[in-house]
Amino acid sequence: LDLEDAVAIAEKPATRETVVQALKAHPGKRGYVRVNAWDTDFCFRDVQAVVGPWLTGVMLPKVEEPAQLVGIDWMITQLEREQDMAPGAVDLLPIIETGRGLANVRAIAAASTNRVRRLSFGAGDYTKDMAMRWTVDEGEIDHARAEVVLASRAEGLAAPLDTVWIHIQDTDGLTASAERVRDMGFQGKMCIHPDQIGPVNAVFTPTEDQVAFARKVVAAFDEAETAGLASIQIDGYFVDYPIVDQARRTLETWQAIQDRA
């Protein structure tokens, strides 16, 4: 749910209660709220209003330095204590979407807070900040995406989330964009319309054939390893430790999706 760009400035204070009531109306569901940026007049009150047992996480836009995350982390910690919530219960999801944010992305990923588990990338504000043209092909933002993935991996975070697709009627373009970032190392893509959820989930969900092959690889490699072998061929594919690790990751992803179904 959004308190930032989708809400008119005059409506921001009133929308906080609307967002909280929407979260409370869906107990047991995962609910994130994008608050306003750190340097706005709204951020403090946004965080204060939305943090509670009904909240999964706060999305913080336009993060540009680690100190911003540390400050928001401290705020959330105090609010968790006031409401008898488990420490660290609320996730904090930074959005990298400015040139300064990208320049500092490694430090942001290494910020001294355990509340940040993954990063996300926002192309709309990034291309605006960099005076770029955000094209349908999106080649101009590949460098930024790669930096976010690399920083996440280097600092031990989970794979990041990619930017939204603003061409709401272009489902083929959405699918192509999702496939592109999946292959770059992203674990998902943010959506701005309900119709986008199905196509994006389909891209990031292993197919039945991929799951079957992954099971075959893991089983065959386990048997080979028991016999003292660390490289084998399966259906014409060379399989060694990196390949079997990828297969295990596919199965872990598949199982995680089944557990949430």
Side-chain angles (χ1 to χ4, degrees), residues 189-211:
K189 190 171 180 65
M190 294 183 285
C191 300
I192 54 172
H193 191 280
D195 289 347
Q196 295 181 335
I197 296 172
V200 169
N201 280 346
V203 169
F204 287 95
T205 300
T207 65
E208 290 184 6
D209 288 345
Q210 289 169 335
V211 172

Side-chain angles (χ1 to χ4, degrees), residues 40-109:
T40 67
D41 295 337
F42 306 102
C43 182
F44 175 78
R45 294 296 182 191
D46 285 351
V47 175
Q48 189 177 47
V50 302
V51 171
W54 47 82
L55 183 71
T56 304
V58 168
M59 297 181 68
L60 185 64
K62 302 179 181 68
V63 175
E64 296 191 323
E65 55 187 55
Q68 296 170 348
L69 296 177
V70 174
I72 295 293
D73 182 10
W74 183 88
M75 290 174 56
I76 295 174
T77 298
Q78 308 316 307
L79 293 166
E80 287 174 338
R81 287 174 180 164
E82 286 183 359
Q83 302 194 51
D84 295 323
M85 297 170 62
V90 176
D91 190 16
L92 179 56
L93 179 57
I95 311 177
I96 307 300
E97 49 186 343
T98 66
R100 180 176 173 82
L102 187 65
N104 292 331
V105 67
R106 184 71 66 87
I108 291 168

Side-chain angles (χ1 to χ4, degrees), residues 20-223:
V20 170
Q21 291 305 316
L23 292 169
K24 288 181 176 179
H26 296 85
K29 300 293 184 182
R30 292 168 60 81
Y32 282 75
V33 176
R34 181 174 66 168
V35 299
N36 286 277
W38 167 269
D39 59 353
T40 67
D41 295 337
F42 306 102
C43 182
F44 175 78
R45 294 296 182 191
D46 285 351
V47 175
Q48 189 177 47
V50 302
V51 171
W54 47 82
L55 183 71
T56 304
V58 168
M59 297 181 68
L60 185 64
K62 302 179 181 68
V63 175
E64 296 191 323
E65 55 187 55
Q68 296 170 348
L69 296 177
V70 174
I72 295 293
D73 182 10
W74 183 88
M75 290 174 56
I76 295 174
T77 298
Q78 308 316 307
L79 293 166
E80 287 174 338
R81 287 174 180 164
E82 286 183 359
Q83 302 194 51
D84 295 323
M85 297 170 62
V90 176
D91 190 16
L92 179 56
L93 179 57
I95 311 177
I96 307 300
E97 49 186 343
T98 66
R100 180 176 173 82
L102 187 65
N104 292 331
V105 67
R106 184 71 66 87
I108 291 168
S112 55
T113 165
N114 294 326
R115 205 177 289 280
V116 176
R117 288 136 192 162
R118 67 196 59 78
L119 304 177
S120 62
F121 172 62
D125 279 296
Y126 179 74
T127 52
K128 180 191 77 171
D129 186 52
M130 298 296 292
M132 290 177 168
R133 204 172 120 210
W134 188 6
T135 66
V136 174
D137 177 71
E138 298 187 320
E140 65 282 351
I141 57 175
D142 278 352
H143 71 286
R145 285 166 159 166
E147 287 291 328
V148 173
V149 171
L150 179 60
S152 300
R153 184 69 193 99
E155 300 302 333
L157 299 181
L161 300 174
D162 185 48
T163 188
V164 299
W165 177 257
I166 59 174
H167 309 281
I168 296 175
Q169 302 298 321
D170 183 6
T171 303
D172 290 342
L174 168 66
T175 297
S177 178
E179 289 173 342
R180 182 176 193 149
V181 297
R182 177 199 61 198
D183 295 345
M184 292 180 71
F186 284 82
Q187 68 162 296
K189 190 171 180 65
M190 294 183 285
C191 300
I192 54 172
H193 191 280
D195 289 347
Q196 295 181 335
I197 296 172
V200 169
N201 280 346
V203 169
F204 287 95
T205 300
T207 65
E208 290 184 6
D209 288 345
Q210 289 169 335
V211 172
F213 183 71
R215 287 174 175 155
K216 186 175 183 178
V217 166
V218 170
F221 193 84
D222 286 346
E223 182 179 346

